[in-house]
Amino acid sequence: MLITHDTRCALDTVVDLVNSVPEDDTAPDGLPDVAALQEFVGTHDISDVGVLSELDLSAVLKIRGRFAAVFAAPNARAAAGLINDLVAAAGTTPRLTDHDGYDWHIHYFAPGASVADHLAADCGMALAFFVVAGEQERLRRCEAPDCRRAFVDLSRNRSRRYCDSRTCGNRLHVAAYRARRKEAAG
């Protein structure tokens, strides 16, 4: 599956957006205020969003939950319905552009769109490409029992199980090793 630079950026953005949800009641929200949203926008090089407000934050938090539902969708039909609703509500307007040193690519949001519409359109279309390609199962949640972070499995054989092999994957492998050693020791 060919993934363009813009699609990869949109996938990274939507994964970080979905993972900004607190994992439990004790964890802080990754987007608690407008300043955090501004930092998120800057970190992800989201262009042409203007001055952000509480209304923008509220709208982004709303679509964050809708994107989370896409990662939890049981099948491609359910994911497609969720993505269609997101993209349609954003008033998608595909247009060719070449800005900031990047070659020609497609933006799916109208010029001057809100940050929420921008995210819904660009990220929604990035996820749509996976559904169209029959790759919806690559939109996953970490399989570690104490982690439910979202990720996109871009491995060649669709075998990635953890959001981060250095943390969740390694922790589970070490636990399994210790359990085997304990069992062998009797």
Side-chain angles (χ1 to χ4, degrees):
M1 174 173 190
L2 175 67
I3 299 174
T4 65
H5 170 77
D6 269 12
T7 300
R8 180 59 193 249
C9 289
L11 291 172
D12 291 344
T13 300
V14 73
V15 164
D16 286 350
L17 180 62
V18 169
N19 288 336
S20 71
V21 173
E23 291 187 32
D24 58 41
D25 293 335
T26 63
D29 192 305
L31 290 174
D33 53 32
V34 175
L37 178 59
Q38 185 67 51
E39 184 177 333
F40 183 87
V41 165
T43 299
H44 293 284
D45 293 325
I46 301 170
S47 60
D48 196 28
V49 294
V51 177
L52 300 175
S53 68
E54 288 292 331
L55 289 173
D56 290 309
L57 178 63
S58 177
V60 168
L61 296 179
K62 194 176 295 183
I63 66 159
R64 176 178 72 176
R66 296 176 73 191
F67 276 126
V70 173
F71 280 84
N75 55 51
R77 184 166 302 284
L82 294 165
I83 293 167
N84 282 341
D85 290 345
L86 269 164
V87 172
T92 305
T93 307
R95 66 187 176 97
L96 288 169
T97 184
D98 65 341
H99 62 89
D100 299 329
Y102 294 107
D103 205 358
W104 289 104
H105 58 282
I106 300 173
H107 279 188
Y108 294 97
F109 57 93
S114 71
V115 67
D117 285 346
H118 182 132
L119 290 169
D122 270 359
C123 295
M125 290 305 297
L127 296 176
F129 293 138
F130 277 80
V131 174
V132 167
E135 302 285 353
Q136 183 258 336
E137 74 275 1
R138 289 181 182 268
L139 309 177
R140 297 191 175 163
R141 291 288 187 159
C142 184
E143 290 182 18
D146 58 341
C147 180
R148 295 302 300 150
R149 292 177 60 84
F151 68 94
V152 177
D153 179 5
L154 297 177
S155 67
R156 184 173 289 174
N157 62 356
R158 298 176 193 85
S159 62
R160 187 170 162 198
R161 297 174 43 204
Y162 307 110
C163 63
D164 187 347
S165 61
R166 291 179 308 251
T167 55
C168 290
N170 191 47
R171 190 175 59 247
L172 287 175
H173 288 113
V174 168
Y177 170 77
R178 289 181 179 158
R180 286 191 306 272
R181 299 263 304 171
K182 184 177 180 181
E183 186 178 304

